């Protein structure tokens, strides 16, 4: 059976390694951090949200983003400093607008398919990740936002998703702790939430039990591939004077998040991922009053582009915003304050005395769909570019990746048999 290297120990890398191991492959994961899920998979919004499958390639989104450019606290912020990477990405983003409806429907279909695998894996491996299957409530403050959501619901329905319109009174019945005045909402009962970091860590342990080698603290410096093999050169954390280690595999899978573009270029492939920074805060619910005042149902506020999840009894996660500012990982106060302010307005009974801020870089492709499958070389594969839906789509894209690897192996074996005959 083939030896396969997976580059990246985030949600897509670990799910890929697990899916490949279940097929019987010998898998080695290279991760530069000491643990799994330490970057974009560390503290996201927590939603497993087929209802958030709408892609961003839409003229109203572009126009709204241009209006927001002068506001430091805007949900969408673009650094106006030009770069070829940024310009090429936005050019392809605009070119994908005609596929807005089809890509939204396809993303919903993938998200629904992902649930079956992710929930089953968690059950099989007994992974506790603060799963809540209480649905997701989208909230709208005005008719324009609500009417747009109704149109999106039609696209999601084509992908197989059921979500229903709800009145303000029904919204309060679904989540009684929500304060404020709203025009209406849409509720998706089949959506869920959980802690991505806890899930990824648990699945990494399960993958290791299934024979996967986890090489933490290994930073990939170089790699290459030909028709028969792939090789990786990595340095080991803490060994400043150590020689880089080179290993050869039958295939390599790139799941390196925002680092995938540079690695793909070394392999002769173009994967135009741009790092889109998102922020989150985790509100520590230290007292009984805050625990009672925090919501149990996950929310998506379309106006502010914020999502929430309740993680156990004592944590409340709020995440969102999109910042096009290159590989900058700084946590900016003027981006965090709107998240804290939103909690204080929508859930005034929740204490924000202890809030943990975080920022991560989403690996986003211009058409908002992940790249899954083979590269130019038959020994190179990709599972990357999931953008803001890596957690939601991870299980199905890992399954698709394993299918692609197996199909290539079978095709190679068939061709070899034909040649020998």
């Amino acid at each position: 059976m083939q030896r396969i290297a997976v580059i990246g120990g985030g949600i897509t890398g670990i799910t890929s390694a697990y899916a490949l191991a279940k097929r019987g492959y010998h898998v080695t994961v290279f991760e530069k951090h000491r643990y799994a899920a330490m970057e974009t998979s560390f503290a996201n919004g927590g939603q497993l949200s087929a209802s958030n499958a709408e892609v961003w390639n839409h003229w109203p989104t572009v126009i709204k983003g241009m209006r927001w450019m002068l506001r430091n606290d805007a949900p969408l912020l673009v650094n106006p400093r030009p770069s070829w990477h940024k310009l090429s990405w936005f050019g392809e983003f605009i070119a994908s607008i005609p596929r807005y409806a089809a890509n939204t429907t396809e993303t919903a279909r993938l998200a629904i398919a992902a649930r079956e695998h992710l929930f089953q894996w968690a059950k099989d491996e007994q992974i506790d990740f603060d799963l809540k299957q209480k649905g997701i409530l989208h909230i709208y403050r005005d008719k324009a936002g609500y009417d747009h959501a109704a149109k999106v619901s039609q696209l999601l329905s084509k992908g197989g998703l059921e979500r229903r319109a709800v009145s303000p009174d029904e919204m309060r019945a679904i989540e009684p702790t929500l304060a404020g005045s709203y025009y209406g909402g849409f509720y998706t009962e089949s959506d869920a939430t959980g802690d991505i970091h806890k899930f990824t860590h648990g699945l990494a342990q399960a993958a290791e039990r299934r024979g996967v080698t986890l090489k933490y603290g290994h930073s990939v410096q170089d790699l290459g591939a030909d028709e028969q093999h792939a090789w990786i050169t990595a340095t080991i954390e803490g060994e400043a004077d150590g020689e880089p280690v080179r290993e050869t595999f039958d295939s390599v899978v790139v799941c390196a998040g925002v680092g995938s573009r540079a690695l793909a270029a070394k392999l002769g492939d173009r994967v135009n991922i741009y790092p889109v920074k998102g922020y989150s805060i985790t509100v520590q619910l230290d007292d009984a009053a805050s625990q009672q005042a925090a919501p149990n149902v996950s929310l998506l506020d379309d106006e502010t582009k914020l999502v929430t999840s309740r993680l156990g009894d004592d944590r409340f996660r709020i995440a969102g915003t999109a910042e096009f500012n290159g590989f900058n990982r700084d946590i900016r106060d003027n981006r965090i304050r709107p998240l804290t302010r939103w909690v204080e307005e929508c859930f005034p009974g929740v204490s924000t005395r202890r809030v943990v801020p975080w920022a991560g870089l989403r690996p986003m492709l211009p058409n908002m769909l992940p790249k899954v499958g083979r590269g130019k070389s038959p020994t190179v594969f990709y599972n990357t570019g999931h953008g803001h839906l890596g957690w939601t789509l991870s299980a199905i894209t890992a399954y698709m990746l394993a299918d692609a690897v197996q199909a290539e192996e079978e095709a190679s074996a068939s061709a070899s048999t034909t040649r020998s005959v």
Side-chain angles (χ1 to χ4, degrees), residues 51 135-140 142-154 156 161-168 170-171 174 182-189 191 297-302:
S51 61
I136 294 178
L137 175 64
H138 289 226
I139 61 177
Y140 300 92
D142 56 43
K143 185 177 186 299
Y146 180 87
D147 288 347
H148 174 71
K151 295 176 182 177
V152 173
S153 288
Q154 295 175 9
L156 300 178
L161 183 71
E162 293 184 9
R163 75 171 186 172
R164 59 186 174 90
V166 290
S167 67
E170 290 173 310
M171 291 169 61
I174 293 169
Y182 302 93
Y183 183 86
F186 285 86
Y187 182 50
T188 310
E189 296 183 50
D191 277 344
V297 173
S298 178
L299 305 173
L300 190 152
D301 186 338
D302 195 61

Side-chain angles (χ1 to χ4, degrees), residues 11 37 40-44 46 129 194-201 311 317 390-391:
I11 185 65
T40 310
S41 302
F42 185 75
N44 75 349
F129 62 106
D195 187 322
I196 186 174
H197 180 75
K198 291 177 70 173
F199 176 84
T200 308
H201 174 71
L311 303 176
R317 175 77 48 77
W391 176 219

Side-chain angles (χ1 to χ4, degrees), residues 88-399:
S88 69
W89 192 93
F90 275 111
E92 293 177 42
F93 178 90
I94 297 297
S96 297
I97 287 178
R99 295 285 300 167
Y100 159 78
N103 287 351
T104 294
T105 297
E106 174 63 9
T107 303
R109 186 190 67 79
L110 290 173
I112 293 168
R115 293 173 181 159
E116 176 184 350
H117 299 291
L118 189 142
F119 292 151
Q120 188 61 52
W121 293 349
K123 181 179 179 181
D124 291 345
E125 305 296 349
Q126 298 183 357
I127 301 172
D128 176 12
F129 62 106
D130 293 326
L131 174 65
K132 277 190 180 295
Q133 294 178 285
K134 292 182 176 292
I136 294 178
L137 175 64
H138 289 226
I139 61 177
Y140 300 92
R141 291 176 171 80
D142 56 43
K143 185 177 186 299
Y146 180 87
D147 288 347
H148 174 71
K151 295 176 182 177
V152 173
S153 288
Q154 295 175 9
L155 300 178
L156 300 178
S157 178
K158 291 180 180 178
L161 183 71
E162 293 184 9
R163 75 171 186 172
R164 59 186 174 90
V166 290
S167 67
D169 287 341
E170 290 173 310
M171 291 169 61
R172 293 187 188 93
I174 293 169
E175 183 45 70
T177 64
L178 177 63
S181 177
Y182 302 93
Y183 183 86
F186 285 86
Y187 182 50
T188 310
E189 296 183 50
S190 57
D191 277 344
T193 58
D195 187 322
I196 186 174
H197 180 75
K198 291 177 70 173
F199 176 84
T200 308
H201 174 71
L203 195 67
Q205 292 180 316
E208 196 168 28
R209 291 194 296 268
R210 290 177 177 269
V212 172
T213 300
L214 300 174
K215 292 200 170 186
Y216 294 127
H218 282 63
S219 181
V220 174
Q221 302 299 316
D222 199 10
L223 75 169
D226 57 25
E227 296 290 314
Q228 301 297 323
H229 301 96
W231 56 91
I232 290 175
T233 301
T235 55
I236 303 173
E237 180 186 9
E239 296 186 7
D241 299 326
E243 289 293 321
V245 178
R246 174 172 163 145
E247 292 188 60
T248 301
F249 299 87
D250 295 298
S251 299
V252 61
V253 182
V254 177
C255 305
V258 296
S260 298
R261 177 174 177 263
L263 295 176
K266 290 177 178 288
L267 296 166
D269 293 311
R270 184 174 184 273
V271 181
N272 196 18
I273 285 173
Y274 193 87
V276 181
K277 183 158 62 172
Y279 292 84
S280 79
I281 58 172
T282 303
V283 181
Q284 306 297 318
L285 306 174
D286 295 325
D287 55 87
S290 291
Q291 292 176 9
Q292 292 175 2
N296 282 294
V297 173
S298 178
L299 305 173
L300 190 152
D301 186 338
D302 195 61
E303 180 180 325
T304 60
K305 306 300 180 187
L306 296 181
V307 304
T308 76
S309 56
R310 180 73 177 266
L311 303 176
D313 293 330
D314 58 358
R315 291 184 299 153
F316 180 34
R317 175 77 48 77
I318 302 90
T321 77
E323 187 174 307
F324 289 79
N325 195 21
F327 287 85
N328 182 294
R329 289 181 168 84
D330 293 345
I331 299 176
R332 297 171 48 183
D333 180 65
N334 60 1
R335 307 293 282 158
I336 291 295
R337 273 188 282 112
L339 278 64
T340 305
R341 188 165 57 244
W342 184 90
V343 175
E344 294 167 350
E345 292 173 355
C346 295
F347 300 96
V350 172
S351 169
T352 54
R353 186 176 62 85
R354 199 158 69 96
V355 170
V356 180
W358 174 85
L361 302 180
R362 307 179 187 101
M364 196 163 285
L365 284 162
N367 66 354
M368 306 294 289
L369 293 175
K371 180 174 177 59
V372 185
R374 211 194 90 168
K376 290 181 180 177
S377 170
T379 58
V380 174
F381 297 85
Y382 295 91
N383 184 15
T384 189
H386 295 62
H388 66 298
L389 291 177
W391 176 219
T392 295
L393 301 179
S394 59
I396 188 60
T397 59
Y399 190 89

